[in-house]
Each structure stands twice: as structure tokens, then as C-alpha cells.
Amino acid sequence: MERADVAIVGGGPAGMAAAHAAAEAGADAVVVEKGVPRADREGLGPDSTDAAGMLDYWVDIMGIDPGELPEDVILQELSGARFVGPTERCTLRDTGMDSSYPNFGFTFQRARMDDWMRERAEASSAAYRVGTGVRRVESDTESHVLHLADGSEIEAGRMILADGPQRTVTMGVLDRLLPEGKKASEVLGPRRANHIAYQEHRRMPPELFEEDVITFWWGLIPGKTAYPWIFPNDDGIARIGLTMPIGMDIEAVENREAYDLLRPEDERIPTGGAYIRRLLEREFGDEYDVETDFPLVEERGKRGGVESYPISSTRPIDSPTDAGIAVAGGAMGTTSAFHEGGYHVAVRSGAIAGDLAARGRLDEYNEAWKAAIGDEILRNVSMADVVADYEPADWDRTFRTIGTMLEKRGGGPIDWGALSSGLGAAKFYTSYRKAKFRYRKGRYVQLSESDYRY
């Protein structure tokens, strides 16, 4: 049986940040990653799929200097983000948040970033086991034994669960620490807690490729936090994708005719591919042919230029730290479908968990992650609540209000507090403040530390 100080389940950003931090603090750390094949990676690795964008202040939350990254990781420097409704649109050129990063943000190649995170962890002496998953975990308050699919075993004093939004290991481990009648799947089950995301790597006509702006469309497809996007990558290629709830019933959609990417003849919610074609036709179809002018780049992405993946779309949980266990990243629900991402909070939560586990201070983890990323979680959870029931007209009204504010400020950062004045803005601002108050002091967690039984 292999023995380690810290065992980490999952080799994505949270897991590798945990491994690096634990090794840097002097612990023997080992990462177990089942691994998936990708066209853009040699060998197996984590399921490195998302739109892969980083805003300026997210860099500071993440805690990694972009100057450390290899040149082929960052694809485009960004100067803004465009938000498009059915008829209204606005472009932000400033996040309005204090940041050390000089630009609005950047897009990056997710698989290369994940591979660099692994290389960094291994350079700090962390061990990496890829190609075999964790079949089951036996735990007590003193140690954890990971039984792997290849028949090997790893025993560790502390364990960090970072198996992403699928949570295949996390839910089983937590269920044994919850009282009878309470299941982790009730709050973390993938079909309940996740969205499904789909994207295609397509080469855009040169005159349409905006290398420094990311674009989001809201109010075009139904569903809470459901929206398409275009993220510019390199060489005129963009990731064009969307996120939407899992298993949504089209019969439950009210006001169907208001959603531009639905059709009267649709008998079910369209596939991701159908939505993307309709989006491109809506935006550019008068002058361009989607299939010939926006060709798939088949050598990119997971396979054939196309990839789908889950995104956590839930509120986070506390960890059972008295059992020597921390949950980090997408597995704990820090990432968010609302803003299409969470790499920054996954890395930060993983790094905190790894450092504290190595130093025998894991009991501080729940307070530590809240101190580091709590404000970001609070903003995302509160805003997602405010817009949960938005229909297309609501998005138009919101973007019209923000556009007016931008005009008044000459394109500079918005004073978000000023949104409390003006027609339609007061209701939005009041709802947001109420949601933040409701979730204050960490009340956004769905499982608190006191819920666990040891």
C-alpha cells in the first residue's frame, strides 16, 4: 500500500493547486486522476473543457502570476465584454473591481493551463497517478484508504476531494458523514446541481473575429443561467458555445415565442449544436453561410472540434474537516454557470486546502476559503438569484440601463451603486442587495460543517 500525507482525488485546477501547495509546505502529496483523452493533449489528463476566460480581478483571486505561464497558454488579451439581449446590447471595458492585472482579462487554452498546473505540482515533488480512478474510499478520523480501479491502494492522513462537478467520489464520501435521511446528492447531484455546456471550435471570417472582446447573449434561450457565448482564441478561431440546464422540458417554457433561438416546430429543447447554428444564423446569416464561412476546427477541443462538459450551478458546501477531509473547486460548488467559469476560485480553494492539510490545520479550511473567495461567491449566488426568473424583455431592460450608465460615464467603470436610481434600475438594485443580505456571513453554503456526523 502506498502511503502519503495528503491524497487528492482529481487532477483539475483545484486538485493540482492543492498538490502544489501541499508539496510546497513539505507534505508527501499524491494526486489520483482517472483521465480522459483529448485531441489537443498527448496522453490522458483531466477533462479540461470550458470557455477558458480570466477577468482582471480573477487573476488576484487565483493567486498565480500570469507571467509564470508558458507563452502558449494565454491566447488573447481582452479589452472588454459585450452583453447582448434580444434587442439591446452594451460593452463593458472595465470590470469595476480593483486588480493588479493591467488589462480587462484574457482567454487561455484550458488543456495547456491544466498541464502546466500538473507540471508545477510535480516540480514541487507531488506525485501524479493518471489512468486509474478511485473505486471507493474507506475513512475514519485518523486516515483514508483510497482503493483504485487498478487494484492499488493509497493511505493518507488527510484527503482533498477535487473531482469536479460530477462529484463521483465526493458524494459517496460525504454521504457516510451525513445523518440518516440526508444525502449529498440532494444538493450536489449532477442533474440537480449542474448545467450542461457545449461548445464548438470554429474559424471565423477575419472581418468578424474580434480578438479582444468576449460576447455573451442573454434572453435568447430559456433556462436559469442559460446563454450562448463567443470567446476569441488564437489564429482567428473562437470557442462558440452555450450553457443550459440539464433535462429541461420545453413544455415548461412560458412565453416560448420570445426566445429567438427557439422555433415553433421544436418538440424538445434544441441540442447545443442546433442552438449554435441558430445563433450564428441570427447574428451573421444574412451575409454568411454558417457551415462554409464558420468551419469546425476538428483538431481542437476534446474531439472533432466539439466538446460538452458539466458546469457546477449550485451554492457551495462546507467540508467535514474534523474527518480530515476538504472538498475544493467544482466538487464543492465554487464554480458557477452564471459567469461561465470558476478556474480562479477552483485554484484558490485547492491551494488553501493543500496548504492547510500539509500543515495539519485543516480545521481552518472552511473559514479560510470563505475569507479568500467568499465575496466572489456572494456576488455570483446573489446575482443568479436576481435573474433566475428573467425573461427576454428583462434582459433588454437591464442592458439598456447599463448602456445608459456607460454613456453617462464616458465608457469608464460603472458606479454600480448608482444603478439604484433610474427607471427599472431601482428594482434590480434592491433585489440584488436583498439577495446579498440573505446570503451574508457565509449563509450561501448548502451543507454547513455542523451538518456532518463523525
Side-chain angles (χ1 to χ4, degrees), residues 90-92 94-96 401-403 405-406 409 411-419:
C90 61
T91 301
L92 295 183
D94 193 308
T95 63
T401 298
I402 294 174
M405 293 296 300
L406 288 169
R409 298 187 66 83
I414 292 178
D415 176 5
W416 295 100
L419 284 175

Side-chain angles (χ1 to χ4, degrees), residues 437-450:
F437 183 80
R438 183 166 62 252
Y439 292 125
R440 71 194 187 284
K441 297 182 180 179
R443 291 175 182 155
Y444 43 74
V445 298
Q446 295 196 89
L447 285 176
S448 65
E449 193 163 6
S450 62

Side-chain angles (χ1 to χ4, degrees), residues 1-17:
M1 181 183 293
E2 180 179 356
R3 288 176 171 81
D5 298 320
V6 183
I8 300 153
V9 180
M16 282 306 174

Side-chain angles (χ1 to χ4, degrees), residues 299-317:
E299 65 272 18
R300 295 207 177 188
K302 187 181 292 186
R303 185 173 60 185
V306 173
E307 49 199 12
S308 59
Y309 53 97
I311 298 181
S312 178
S313 187
T314 187
R315 305 202 314 269
I317 63 167

Side-chain angles (χ1 to χ4, degrees), residues 86 219 255 258 390-398 400:
N255 196 21
Y390 266 30
E391 293 191 353
D394 298 307
W395 287 110
D396 271 342
R397 183 173 60 252
T398 299
R400 185 163 52 247

Side-chain angles (χ1 to χ4, degrees), residues 82-139:
R82 179 180 298 110
F83 298 88
V84 183
T87 63
E88 300 284 342
R89 61 182 60 203
C90 61
T91 301
L92 295 183
R93 298 291 181 179
D94 193 308
T95 63
M97 306 290 288
D98 292 334
S99 170
S100 63
Y101 194 73
N103 299 324
F104 187 87
F106 57 85
T107 61
F108 61 98
Q109 214 281 2
R110 170 68 191 269
R112 293 175 195 156
M113 180 71 168
D114 283 353
D115 289 349
W116 177 81
M117 293 284 289
R118 172 184 55 78
E119 293 165 2
R120 186 181 73 141
E122 290 183 303
S124 297
S125 78
Y128 182 53
R129 305 282 182 268
V130 65
T132 184
V134 176
R135 181 167 290 170
R136 72 180 192 280
V137 176
E138 295 177 352
S139 293

Side-chain angles (χ1 to χ4, degrees), residues 373-400:
I373 65 175
D375 287 346
E376 175 77 342
I377 299 295
L378 180 60
R379 281 190 292 268
N380 294 334
V381 168
S382 300
M383 190 63 73
D385 268 15
V386 170
V387 303
D389 298 321
Y390 266 30
E391 293 191 353
D394 298 307
W395 287 110
D396 271 342
R397 183 173 60 252
T398 299
F399 296 150
R400 185 163 52 247

